[in-house]
Amino acid sequence: MTIEQMRHTVPAAAALGLLLLAAPSYAQTDGSSTKEPNMTIAQVPLTGPPLASVTLRGAAEDQSIRPFHFRASDEALADLRRRIAATQWPDKETVADATQGVQLATMEKLARYWLTGYDWRKAEARLNALPQFITQIDGLDIHFIHVRSKHKNAMPMIITHGWPGSIMEQLKIIGPLTDPTAFGGKAEDAFDVVIPSMPGYGFSGKPTSTGWGPARIAGAWDVLMKRLGYTRYVAQGGDWGAVVTEQMGLQAPPGLLGIHVNMPGIFPNDIDAAAFSGAPTPSGLSDDEKVAYERLRFVYQKGIAYGFQMGLRPQTLYGIADSPVGLAAYFLDHDARSYELIARVFDGQSEGLTRDDILDNITVTWLTNTALSGARLYWEYWGKGYFNAKGVSIPVAVSVFPDELYPAPRSWTERAFPKLIFYNKLPKGGHFAAWEQPAFLVQDLRDGLRSLRSTDRASQ
């Protein structure tokens, strides 16, 4: 279902209230209303700063920027609960650990809380308190959060989420980035933040033809930033967000000052190929390189079954579009360390994530029916290399979290990024850094990109 199909009438007063709340920097030109049973969207075309008429493929298209508001229908939430309650459960795994996959006990606890304790309306309110918009790029509706800092000379930054993810991953870092003085920072640390939903994910449109891979998304993000009036900016990402952000670095569009990634593609091609084949650890590696190699080999051999499935046959995954518990289990099985953390959360332990964090993210995908449209991104990029060095030549900052899929060694990081301006190993955190350890990531973004602020001012 496309965004155009997901529409519902919005009273004029409510639409105006949303406009005043979410879009103080744009001028309203006209209004429209639409209908769909599962959500409410306020879409008011707006005018922005004067911009060059540029799209990825050169075709003229509507460049308006429209406010966005989401409300799941009561019927959709009741159907979600009905499906959870009607889950047909499998037998318990025959081992005492997670080597066969997501454990039955964890899923039963998740389902019980999802059914009896979880409140989607709280997550919905958090989203709708933020300025959200829709704009069309290369024929596809792109949804994004756009929060401008109150501080002068804030650095514009576009942040890309990953899989199994959504914009929910980044909500915790918006306040500290845009209003640093309220979170222990200085005014000169401020960022304007743009957080888009990737094509096929969350509230963005679903591609109806092939071609929306990371390189095309990277080009679309540059169009988006310039459409918002930003001529100079930085980009950040982890997971797929790192792949997209590194593609932006490869494309190096005018105005992209540099990038920050927390899952850097750093492996030399021969090392990456050896890990993929399951070969023994090569001789001559440093201790840090050995750890990174062995962790990557484990990912390829034991930890990325979902990647093979989605990379080769994403359309076969009808089960995760039909069963909320099936979707949740599939999302929990991203990587061993993240799963261990999530299992502890549902055992009642205090971690960087909460039960609500985890279910907010899954519920967005369920309510927008984007499990398969998101999965196709793996098919689009299959065989092109997730973790190998790409050849980025613009300035790059890197954060290394200890429970990432692999801890990137400084040696390979420096080889992969000849203009490495920042490298930092954090004491705690894993793959979903913005979600799990927002304070560490925010500080690294402040420190890691600070030198580009002086570069930007000197060039103006």
Side-chain angles (χ1 to χ4, degrees):
M1 184 178 297
T2 65
I3 287 293
E4 286 84 1
Q5 294 171 316
M6 300 178 182
R7 298 182 175 181
H8 186 74
T9 300
V10 181
L16 178 59
L18 176 64
L19 174 65
L20 294 174
L21 170 67
S25 59
Y26 301 106
Q28 180 178 351
T29 57
D30 58 63
S32 62
S33 62
T34 51
K35 185 173 183 179
E36 195 277 343
N38 287 344
M39 64 178 70
T40 297
I41 298 175
Q43 293 183 331
V44 184
L46 306 175
T47 59
L51 297 164
S53 180
V54 57
T55 66
L56 295 184
R57 299 195 173 183
E61 66 181 353
D62 178 8
Q63 295 188 5
S64 63
I65 300 170
R66 296 154 280 158
F68 175 92
H69 176 272
F70 177 87
R71 180 175 173 80
S73 70
D74 292 339
E75 292 79 8
L77 296 177
D79 178 66
L80 170 60
R81 289 189 291 271
R82 178 186 65 79
R83 289 170 182 263
I84 296 169
T87 299
Q88 179 170 281
W89 293 97
D91 296 336
K92 184 181 183 295
E93 61 278 0
T94 58
V95 293
D97 54 26
T99 54
Q100 291 184 351
V102 176
Q103 294 153 294
L104 179 63
T106 297
M107 289 310 304
E108 288 178 332
K109 292 170 189 173
L110 180 151
R112 188 178 306 116
Y113 181 70
W114 207 358
L115 186 62
T116 62
Y118 175 72
D119 184 0
W120 163 255
R121 297 298 185 200
K122 292 180 180 179
E124 198 173 69
R126 289 176 67 204
L127 278 175
N128 289 333
L130 294 166
Q132 298 177 79
F133 304 93
I134 292 279
T135 193
Q136 187 179 102
I137 300 177
D138 203 10
L140 193 69
D141 276 348
I142 299 298
H143 163 265
F144 61 99
I145 296 169
H146 183 200
V147 182
R148 296 182 186 270
S149 175
K150 66 181 180 181
H151 296 293
K152 185 179 179 182
N153 297 323
M155 173 178 279
M157 177 164 57
I158 185 165
I159 306 173
T160 309
H161 66 81
W163 184 96
S166 66
I167 55 169
M168 305 304 293
E169 291 179 33
Q170 280 81 30
L171 296 190
K172 296 176 185 178
I173 64 176
I174 294 174
L177 290 173
T178 59
D179 189 11
T181 57
F183 292 88
K186 302 176 182 178
E188 53 266 33
D189 291 327
F191 293 87
D192 282 359
V193 171
V194 178
I195 306 174
S197 298
M198 289 194 296
Y201 286 70
F203 308 116
S204 280
K206 300 177 186 179
T208 57
S209 59
T210 61
W212 274 102
R216 189 172 176 185
I217 297 171
W221 284 183
D222 183 61
V223 171
L224 175 59
M225 293 302 280
K226 291 186 167 71
R227 187 171 295 176
L228 293 172
Y230 295 124
T231 58
R232 302 179 70 78
Y233 65 95
V234 294
Q236 197 281 329
D239 192 82
W240 273 114
V243 178
V244 170
T245 299
E246 289 180 0
Q247 289 295 321
M248 296 179 74
L250 279 173
Q251 294 170 13
L256 179 60
L257 299 172
I259 65 174
H260 175 281
V261 288
N262 55 281
M263 189 193 79
I266 48 85
F267 288 92
N269 287 333
D270 59 335
I271 296 294
D272 184 63
F276 186 83
S277 73
T281 305
S283 61
L285 300 184
S286 70
D287 290 343
D288 286 351
E289 291 168 350
K290 287 179 183 177
V291 170
Y293 178 83
E294 289 163 4
R295 292 264 290 269
L296 181 64
R297 182 177 58 194
F298 175 84
V299 167
Y300 280 140
Q301 300 301 307
K302 299 286 187 180
I304 199 170
Y306 59 86
F308 287 96
Q309 172 68 51
M310 292 187 288
L312 295 170
R313 308 285 285 179
Q315 193 64 28
T316 301
L317 292 167
Y318 291 90
I320 66 173
D322 187 61
S323 165
V325 168
L327 175 68
Y330 204 75
F331 274 20
L332 261 59
D333 205 18
H334 178 275
D335 69 275
R337 286 172 172 79
S338 295
Y339 170 69
E340 289 171 1
L341 182 151
I342 291 169
R344 293 195 298 270
V345 170
F346 282 99
D347 279 338
Q349 298 183 39
S350 178
E351 296 283 356
L353 296 178
T354 67
R355 294 181 298 179
D356 281 1
D357 287 334
I358 296 156
L359 289 174
D360 288 346
N361 183 56
I362 298 167
T363 306
V364 165
T365 300
W366 176 261
L367 292 173
T368 56
N369 192 19
T370 50
L372 266 62
S373 57
R376 294 188 193 109
L377 182 57
Y378 284 83
W379 185 91
E380 291 285 352
Y381 195 64
W382 182 250
K384 295 182 175 66
Y386 300 106
F387 312 118
N388 58 307
K390 309 295 192 303
V392 176
S393 60
I394 68 171
V396 178
V398 169
S399 294
V400 179
F401 288 85
D403 288 330
E404 180 54 273
L405 301 183
Y406 51 86
R410 179 184 284 273
S411 57
W412 287 341
T413 305
E414 289 175 341
R415 287 174 57 184
F417 305 122
K419 291 186 179 178
L420 185 68
I421 58 173
F422 177 85
Y423 172 92
N424 188 39
K425 286 187 172 182
L426 284 304
K428 185 177 182 180
H431 186 72
F432 302 100
W435 210 22
E436 179 198 339
Q437 296 295 335
F440 283 141
L441 182 62
V442 165
Q443 190 59 53
D444 267 18
L445 289 173
R446 292 172 181 171
D447 295 341
L449 299 172
R450 187 170 290 128
S451 64
L452 299 180
R453 295 178 185 270
S454 58
T455 301
D456 187 27
R457 286 193 293 271
S459 65
Q460 293 177 344

